[in-house]
């Protein structure tokens, strides 16, 4: 089992920045990739960014160039640096981890961007 705990959400003005953190604990060796998803009210949960064990990154088109996913392996932590935030980035952000599928999810952290 893997436990994921997110932090760093909050309220920010449009154009501002936030950094989300996700700390993983438990069976860390089973994880091949970690990522961030988000879900806005009445919308489906969509991928934001992912990072593989080998360091390969993938970004949704809507955040490419504004968001950066990176990790601190020593701390078992994955971060999402969000810059130039827009009102449409408002959502609950979830950390995910897994081997071949997203097996584990965090509880989510709210990000609200005011225009």
């Amino acid at each position: 089992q893997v436990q994921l705990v997110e932090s760093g959400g909050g309220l920010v003005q449009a154009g501002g920045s936030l950094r989300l953190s996700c700390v993983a604990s438990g069976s860390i060796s089973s994880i091949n990739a970690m990522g961030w998803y988000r879900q806005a009210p009445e919308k489906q949960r969509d991928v934001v960014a992912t990072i593989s064990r080998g360091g390969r990154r993938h970004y949704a088109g809507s955040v490419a160039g504004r968001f950066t996913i990176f990790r601190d392996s020593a701390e078992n932590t994955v971060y999402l640096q969000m810059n130039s935030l827009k009102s449409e980035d408002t959502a609950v952000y979830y950390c995910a981890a897994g081997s071949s599928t997203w097996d584990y999810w965090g509880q989510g952290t709210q990000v609200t961007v005011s225009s």
Side-chain angles (χ1 to χ4, degrees), residues 65-84:
R66 299 188 298 121
F67 292 10
T68 302
I69 187 170
F70 61 100
R71 64 188 180 192
D72 182 337
S73 297
E75 299 293 331
N76 297 323
T77 302
V78 170
Y79 301 92
L80 185 68
Q81 177 66 42
M82 305 185 293
N83 299 329
S84 302

Side-chain angles (χ1 to χ4, degrees), residues 17-109:
S17 298
L18 279 176
R19 178 178 293 184
L20 306 183
S21 302
C22 174
V23 179
S25 61
S27 302
I28 304 299
S29 60
S30 67
I31 298 174
N32 285 329
M34 295 186 71
W36 290 94
Y37 280 68
R38 68 186 180 186
Q39 187 168 18
E42 301 181 356
K43 292 189 176 181
Q44 67 179 19
R45 188 175 298 188
D46 290 326
V47 63
V48 176
T50 63
I51 185 167
S52 70
R53 178 187 292 272
R56 181 171 297 179
R57 297 171 175 83
H58 167 81
Y59 296 95
S62 59
V63 307
R66 299 188 298 121
F67 292 10
T68 302
I69 187 170
F70 61 100
R71 64 188 180 192
D72 182 337
S73 297
E75 299 293 331
N76 297 323
T77 302
V78 170
Y79 301 92
L80 185 68
Q81 177 66 42
M82 305 185 293
N83 299 329
S84 302
L85 283 161
K86 305 175 181 179
S87 57
E88 51 262 46
D89 295 319
T90 295
V92 177
Y93 284 70
Y94 296 91
C95 179
S99 54
S100 58
T101 60
W102 298 114
D103 303 307
Y104 307 103
W105 293 86
Q107 80 285 355
T109 185

Side-chain angles (χ1 to χ4, degrees), residues 1-13:
Q1 287 291 324
V2 173
Q3 294 77 44
L4 303 173
V5 179
E6 305 108 328
S7 61
L11 174 65
V12 64
Q13 288 188 332

